[in-house]
Amino acid sequence: MGSYDTLYEAFKIFVSNIIYHKQSLSTPSYLQRRSSFSQRKFQRQSSFVSRSEDQFSDHTVIFTVEEALLKSASLFPFFMLVAFEAGSALRAMIMLAMYPLVCLMRKEWGLKLMIMVAFSGINKESFYKVGRSVMPKFFLEDTGLEGFEVLKKFKRKVAYSHMPRVMVESFLREYVKVDHVVGCEIKEFRGYFIGLVEDNNSMVDLKKIMGEEDMSSKVIGMCGSRRSLQNLMFSACKEIHVIRRAERKTWTTLPKEKYLKPLIFHDSRLVSKPTPSSSIAVLMWLPFAILLFILRTLCFVFLPPNLARPIFCFSGCRVLFSEAKTTKPSESVTTDTKQKGLLYVCNHRTLSDPVYLKMALDKNVTALTYSLSKMSELISPIRTVRLTRNREHDAATMEKLLSEGNVAVCAEGTTCREPYLLRFSPLFAEMSDVIVPVALDTSFTMFYGNTAGGYKFLDPVFFLMDPHPSYTIQLLQKVKGLATCHDHDGADVAASKFDLANRVQAEIGHALGFDCTMLTRKDKYLILAGNDGSVRTK
């Protein structure tokens, strides 16, 4: 019996030695030495975060996007975005129906299934616009401040992602300042994605990406699991720091003031990230949303403002209106006797800005627009007049309309969702002696009511389908225009109208707390849609 115990103990020692030897081979020694360090590196006493930026000024970092930068453990919302924005509502429903199957499959196979559903049949060129105009907003909202601050310290950044490269490249290069992006590539046929992933991860040339001088030393890796270490991208790392999922859950979201580049333009129809629960909520809301769209449209078109307002508020919309105090007699502005109406100069949040202005003022207002879809014109409860971008023609049109009644013009020329004001057109400065600046702000819970790259005829539909849209309207103090300055020197008038436009922009920006920019309508559409934003009419 004693010999049996001896053999048993010898067998246990033998097995334990094999297991220990196997673990030593599978886990690098540098990772073992830093395992306890990686667990606390994003806490207050973290030695890694506390290192100065100068210590990494000549270092290169290789990091996994999903494990060292983003907070979410699931990639489903980002593929749901692709399915809805680049595909259709039907494709999004198919993606949502596949979600239980994705959860039951291995991570690699689930990822391939989501890629197939989201990308099959999508035009390659059109998706590049989605990757540039839609995806960065949602990636930024999911970026962890702690991971972002660490990555900022490095001279060069090489990002590796499990997602397709076309999904993340624009976000990483523009908003994280990554030098190289490595991700899976999707097979294509005649300019269309077929949803299959190319097996080329093993073909990554580290020497070509990083250079000969960086391959020897000063390369640090950041990932979230030992499985990620199997990728060849991390073979050049001198040291590796593992960030656990529990740590990422404690990260705070990157605030907007910390963005390396301001997010001024984005073009998604959805307001929030489409998680499985929020996606189900959107699909369940759609039947009610269609009924709500019909009800609100009928109220706008057929009912007078005094009856439409309470019904519209009862349907979930909130309108807040405030008016500036009356100016002192010495600062008062008189109206030209030739004009019957006032010129209201607004910033531009949605196509419904003049409609809500009319509702708040309880006065008839004619809206001047640069481009408007036929659908928007059809259901508009107020008169709309198109501007042609011809200065002489537009000036004559505006002068005629002012002689007939009140006129509202959105001086930015296009909508902007974020707290920024685009450059104001100076055309309005010479059209009236009295200018009323109007500061507008909006908020939405489910859908944005404007788009640059999508179908513009659906803009009013999505706006009226939102459960709880909110409008804030502030009438500011009147400003004296330049309508009586035509007899002055032409150069002085030209300079004055630009100064007046900038002054009105600054006053509206101050009232709303928005930043003023020099970007124009053309800049927005070139960034988001690749065109000048004009709507062709026959």
Side-chain angles (χ1 to χ4, degrees):
M1 192 69 177
S3 61
Y4 176 80
D5 291 338
T6 303
L7 291 174
Y8 179 70
E9 294 295 335
F11 178 74
K12 287 201 303 181
I13 295 174
F14 175 73
V15 172
S16 63
N17 287 337
I18 292 178
I19 295 176
Y20 175 78
H21 182 65
K22 183 178 180 180
Q23 290 178 345
S24 300
L25 290 176
S26 61
T27 305
S29 58
Y30 54 79
L31 186 59
Q32 293 179 3
R33 290 196 303 268
R34 293 172 175 80
S35 60
S36 60
F37 166 78
S38 65
Q39 293 178 10
R40 64 176 188 274
K41 65 188 181 66
F42 287 118
Q43 299 177 4
R44 291 183 179 180
Q45 302 299 324
S46 168
S47 59
F48 187 63
V49 173
S50 61
R51 294 189 205 178
S52 65
E53 192 170 339
D54 296 336
Q55 293 181 271
F56 299 105
S57 59
D58 57 347
H59 281 60
T60 297
V61 62
I62 301 177
F63 67 97
T64 306
V65 175
E66 298 81 0
E67 298 169 342
L69 184 63
L70 302 182
K71 296 171 55 182
S72 298
S74 174
L75 301 180
F76 172 81
F78 303 112
F79 286 99
M80 189 68 175
L81 271 173
V82 174
F84 183 78
E85 299 291 347
S88 62
L90 177 61
R91 187 188 293 263
M93 287 189 283
I94 296 174
M95 175 68 74
L96 184 61
M98 289 292 180
Y99 179 69
L101 183 60
V102 171
C103 295
L104 295 175
M105 301 174 71
R106 292 180 57 186
K107 187 174 181 179
E108 295 82 359
W109 288 103
L111 181 62
K112 290 182 179 180
L113 178 60
M114 289 191 293
I115 293 175
M116 177 175 292
V117 174
F119 282 91
S120 296
I122 298 296
N123 183 274
K124 180 179 178 181
E125 294 298 327
S126 64
F127 180 79
Y128 284 146
K129 299 177 184 178
V130 176
R132 183 177 65 251
S133 62
V134 175
M135 303 305 296
K137 171 186 180 290
F138 295 94
F139 281 129
L140 284 169
E141 292 176 350
D142 195 53
T143 299
L145 173 62
E146 290 79 357
F148 182 80
E149 291 292 342
V150 171
L151 294 175
K152 279 175 55 180
K153 299 180 180 181
F154 291 89
K155 176 184 178 182
R156 298 182 61 198
K157 307 176 190 67
V158 179
Y160 168 73
S161 177
H162 302 294
M163 292 180 282
R165 180 181 55 83
V166 291
M167 283 180 63
V168 299
E169 185 169 25
S170 179
F171 156 68
L172 292 172
R173 290 189 180 274
E174 294 185 25
Y175 295 94
V176 190
K177 303 302 180 183
V178 168
D179 299 285
H180 300 281
V181 181
V182 179
C184 61
E185 302 290 341
I186 307 175
K187 294 182 180 180
E188 59 178 274
F189 178 73
R190 294 186 177 181
Y192 289 85
F193 293 118
I194 61 176
L196 300 178
V197 179
E198 294 183 357
D199 187 15
N200 61 350
N201 287 340
S202 59
M203 303 300 291
V204 176
D205 190 348
L206 292 178
K207 292 183 178 180
K208 183 178 180 180
I209 291 178
M210 302 174 59
E212 295 287 349
E213 57 183 4
D214 289 330
M215 289 293 293
S216 57
S217 62
K218 298 182 179 179
V219 180
I220 296 177
M222 294 177 62
C223 62
S225 63
R226 293 184 181 181
R227 187 182 65 182
S228 299
L229 299 177
Q230 299 174 1
N231 193 284
L232 293 177
M233 292 293 299
F234 294 95
S235 61
C237 297
K238 185 179 180 181
E239 58 178 296
I240 295 179
H241 301 275
V242 178
I243 308 167
R244 299 196 176 188
R245 184 181 300 178
E247 295 179 61
R248 298 206 309 273
K249 290 182 179 179
T250 63
W251 285 0
T252 56
T253 303
L254 180 67
K256 292 185 177 181
E257 56 269 18
K258 293 282 188 177
Y259 290 178
L260 297 181
K261 173 184 176 182
L263 180 67
I264 300 178
F265 302 126
H266 57 85
D267 199 32
S268 171
R269 286 289 190 186
L270 298 176
V271 173
S272 58
K273 186 172 65 174
T275 60
S277 58
S278 64
S279 299
I280 294 175
V282 170
L283 294 178
M284 292 179 64
W285 172 251
L286 283 179
F288 302 98
I290 295 174
L291 296 176
L292 191 61
F293 162 71
I294 296 173
L295 174 64
R296 289 173 173 172
T297 302
L298 293 176
C299 290
F300 268 137
V301 176
F302 296 106
L303 294 181
N306 57 345
L307 293 179
R309 276 195 298 268
I311 297 177
F312 202 70
C313 294
F314 179 77
S315 69
C317 181
R318 185 178 65 170
V319 180
L320 302 177
F321 176 72
S322 63
E323 189 171 1
K325 295 181 179 180
T326 307
T327 56
K328 298 178 180 179
S330 59
E331 299 174 353
S332 62
V333 181
T334 58
T335 307
D336 187 356
T337 56
K338 296 181 180 180
Q339 296 181 1
K340 293 183 179 181
L342 294 176
L343 177 60
Y344 296 94
V345 178
C346 319
N347 61 307
H348 205 3
R349 303 299 281 177
T350 74
L351 296 176
S352 302
D353 292 341
V355 177
Y356 278 90
L357 179 60
K358 174 196 173 184
M359 184 182 296
L361 296 173
D362 198 10
K363 297 178 181 178
N364 291 326
V365 176
T366 301
L368 293 175
T369 63
Y370 283 97
S371 61
L372 200 64
S373 66
K374 291 294 184 181
M375 180 67 175
S376 300
E377 289 183 337
L378 181 64
I379 67 174
S380 175
I382 64 175
R383 181 186 178 188
T384 60
V385 177
R386 289 177 180 267
L387 296 177
T388 62
R389 294 187 178 87
N390 181 287
R391 184 181 177 279
E392 289 76 14
H393 182 274
D394 291 342
T397 300
M398 192 177 296
E399 187 175 357
K400 178 184 177 182
L401 293 174
L402 281 171
S403 65
E404 299 173 356
N406 300 315
V407 174
V409 58
C410 297
E412 290 178 286
T414 186
T415 58
C416 184
R417 298 173 178 177
E418 294 299 314
Y420 296 93
L421 295 180
L422 307 186
R423 189 179 71 186
F424 276 29
S425 169
L427 177 63
F428 67 87
E430 298 177 286
M431 295 299 104
S432 175
D433 279 337
V434 180
I435 296 171
V436 184
V438 182
L440 302 173
D441 196 10
T442 57
S443 65
F444 302 95
T445 56
M446 191 171 289
F447 303 116
Y448 284 114
N450 50 63
T451 183
Y455 296 109
K456 295 191 72 64
F457 71 90
L458 291 177
D459 287 356
V461 178
F462 276 99
F463 173 78
L464 295 175
M465 288 197 308
D466 190 80
H468 298 290
S470 175
Y471 249 94
T472 302
I473 304 173
Q474 302 179 52
L475 256 62
L476 308 182
Q477 290 188 355
K478 297 178 182 179
V479 177
K480 186 175 181 180
L482 303 176
T484 58
C485 299
H486 295 294
D487 296 333
H488 295 177
D489 182 63
D492 295 336
V493 173
S496 299
K497 69 179 182 180
F498 282 104
D499 292 338
L500 181 58
N502 293 336
R503 177 189 169 187
V504 173
Q505 181 197 38
E507 290 189 4
I508 294 178
H510 177 73
L512 295 172
F514 289 4
D515 293 330
C516 298
T517 73
M518 295 301 292
L519 298 174
T520 64
R521 170 192 177 90
K522 186 176 181 180
D523 296 325
K524 170 189 170 180
Y525 278 89
L526 287 176
I527 293 172
L528 298 183
N531 56 60
D532 63 357
S534 60
V535 177
R536 296 182 180 180
T537 58
K538 295 181 180 179

